[in-house]
Amino acid sequence: MIKIIGILISTVVLVLSFQNCAKVQTANLDKLDAASLSIIPPQSCDHDGQIIQNGQSIISFQNSTVAFGETCQQERRICTNGVLSGSYRFNRCTPGAPAACSYNGKTYEDGASVSLFQNSSVAFGETCKAESRKCKNGSLDGSFTFETCAVGAPEACKFDGKTVAHGIKITAFQNSSVPFDGEGCKSQERTCYNGNLNGTYKFANCTPGSPAACLFDNQTVAHGQSVQAFLNSSVPFGETCTRESRLCQNGTLNGSYSFSSCGSGTPASCLINGQTIAHGQSIKLFKTSTVGFNEVCLDEARVCNNGSLNGSFTSSTCSPDAPASCDFNGQNLAHGQSVQAFLSSSVGFSEVCQAETRVCTDGNLSGSNSFGFCSVGAPKACLFNGQT
């Protein structure tokens, strides 16, 4: 009974905390005593058609739906004897679906992208700027607005009264004509790029001047031709005319030789032993005018070459000497004669005189025995007991 009274008192106190409780009921509670109170069970709560038991709680939402991208606002509400705390009214909250985008009559789902350009066209050499615009809940991000972009055509160039297409190369010259000086026309390559030609040379053609001829020894030499020139007009016989080839370059001859021809002098004759030998002729001469008996006269053919004889022999004639005689022990032996000569003038008895025949040949005796005679000695006697 005491427990029941405590529960009733607690309930009365809780009810007094809510504004929807009647003041009359609160006043009457003061007059109640324990005997007159009856048992009242706690009440449940109703939330958006859902029954919430006393003491239980529920997550409640401020709105049943919110737009895409927004957040559902929620709070926890507690049921206390039929009264819910808080103020949010809905059991659930559903976010809205994202909106699609529409551009130039085309629909793009949320999250889809489309590539658009900043301009519909750009000049040649420029680049079309593009951006990817993404659909986000009905709105395309970015700012470019053109679905296509075209690059303009390049412009042609004007040169010397003619049209030069873009990208075409031409050869231009610094001058329309130049004097003939070996350097010739100076050119450069110019390229047309979108109406602009690079480079500075401005002539389409260049004509070189005509080269001048040269004058050599009263002879006209055309430009580019050569002429044979000589150092001297003549040289002594046997010497060589020195020449060079001189080239005419626009009125100027290279080199320095000044004669157009060169002659050779007459060759000189030779004189030896009072005899004149013409150039190119030869003469037979001997080494000596005489030679020993039985020797051979040595000769050579000497040729006259412009006053000089080759070789060295000088004698016009040559004859062998007569053969010489020989002397043998006061005896004169003619060439070819012979004599009997002995090894010694005498030999012992019973020995033999050794002899040889010596022949005189041009003053020289053959052999070596030097005696003109040889005698054999008498035999010796014998001595025996004093008796000869």
Side-chain angles (χ1 to χ4, degrees):
M1 186 65 178
I2 294 173
K3 292 181 178 181
I4 293 174
I5 293 173
I7 293 172
L8 290 175
I9 294 172
S10 299
T11 301
V12 172
V13 174
L14 183 60
V15 170
L16 289 175
S17 65
F18 294 96
Q19 296 180 357
N20 59 350
C21 293
K23 293 182 179 181
V24 177
Q25 290 177 345
T26 304
N28 291 333
L29 283 176
D30 294 335
K31 300 178 179 181
L32 290 177
D33 56 12
S36 61
L37 290 174
S38 62
I39 299 172
I40 301 174
Q43 297 182 11
S44 60
C45 302
D46 179 68
H47 181 269
D48 195 20
Q50 181 179 357
I51 301 301
I52 309 301
Q53 297 300 322
N54 178 58
Q56 291 184 345
S57 64
I58 188 172
I59 298 299
S60 180
F61 297 92
Q62 186 178 26
N63 300 290
S64 60
T65 60
V66 293
F68 176 79
E70 296 183 1
T71 303
C72 289
Q73 301 295 322
Q74 64 182 25
E75 68 178 355
R76 180 176 292 279
R77 301 186 68 181
I78 302 173
C79 178
T80 305
N81 195 24
V83 178
L84 278 172
S85 63
S87 61
Y88 289 2
R89 300 183 298 115
F90 299 98
N91 287 334
R92 61 184 57 84
C93 175
T94 304
C101 300
S102 179
Y103 188 80
N104 284 349
K106 298 179 182 179
T107 300
Y108 300 94
E109 297 297 329
D110 180 73
S113 296
V114 58
S115 182
L116 297 176
F117 296 92
Q118 187 176 26
N119 300 290
S120 61
S121 63
V122 294
F124 178 80
E126 296 182 3
T127 302
C128 288
K129 295 181 179 180
E131 71 176 352
S132 180
R133 299 185 63 183
K134 188 175 184 180
C135 178
K136 296 181 179 180
N137 192 28
S139 297
L140 284 172
D141 63 3
S143 61
F144 290 3
T145 58
F146 296 95
E147 292 185 332
T148 60
C149 176
V151 179
E155 296 183 12
C157 303
K158 290 292 185 180
F159 178 74
D160 200 25
K162 297 180 181 179
T163 299
V164 181
H166 167 79
I168 298 300
K169 296 179 180 180
I170 62 168
T171 299
F173 297 91
Q174 188 177 31
N175 301 289
S176 60
S177 63
V178 293
F180 188 89
D181 56 6
E183 293 185 2
C185 294
K186 294 182 179 180
S187 65
Q188 70 177 185
E189 189 177 78
R190 302 185 66 181
T191 303
C192 176
Y193 184 85
N194 193 27
N196 293 313
L197 271 175
N198 66 350
T200 58
Y201 289 5
K202 59 183 180 179
F203 296 98
N205 299 287
C206 176
T207 304
S210 299
C214 302
L215 187 64
F216 176 72
D217 200 16
N218 295 321
Q219 176 185 354
T220 299
V221 182
H223 168 77
Q225 290 186 345
S226 297
V227 62
Q228 291 296 319
F230 297 91
L231 180 63
N232 302 291
S233 61
S234 64
V235 293
F237 180 81
E239 294 185 8
T240 301
C241 289
T242 303
R243 68 176 65 193
E244 70 178 355
S245 179
R246 300 187 65 182
L247 176 67
C248 178
Q249 289 283 353
N250 191 28
T252 301
L253 276 172
N254 67 352
S256 60
Y257 292 1
S258 58
F259 297 97
S260 59
S261 62
C262 175
S264 178
T266 302
S269 59
C270 302
L271 182 65
I272 187 169
N273 298 334
Q275 182 179 355
T276 300
I277 310 301
H279 168 76
Q281 291 185 347
S282 63
I283 184 173
K284 184 177 180 180
L285 296 174
F286 298 92
K287 187 174 184 180
T288 59
S289 60
T290 61
V291 293
F293 176 77
N294 210 29
E295 291 183 2
V296 177
C297 287
L298 297 178
D299 65 76
E300 67 179 355
R302 298 186 66 183
V303 180
C304 178
N305 182 18
N306 191 30
S308 296
L309 279 171
N310 66 350
S312 60
F313 292 2
T314 59
S315 180
S316 300
T317 61
C318 177
S319 58
D321 292 335
S325 61
C326 300
D327 179 69
F328 179 72
N329 292 332
Q331 179 184 356
N332 190 359
L333 297 177
H335 168 74
Q337 286 185 343
S338 62
V339 65
Q340 194 77 7
F342 297 93
L343 180 62
S344 59
S345 59
S346 63
V347 294
F349 177 79
S350 74
E351 293 182 3
V352 177
C353 287
Q354 295 184 12
E356 66 178 352
T357 298
R358 298 185 68 182
V359 179
C360 179
T361 303
D362 191 26
N364 293 311
L365 275 173
S366 64
S368 60
N369 291 352
S370 59
F371 295 95
F373 60 90
C374 177
S375 60
V376 179
K380 293 181 179 181
C382 299
L383 183 62
F384 180 74
N385 291 329
Q387 180 181 355
T388 301

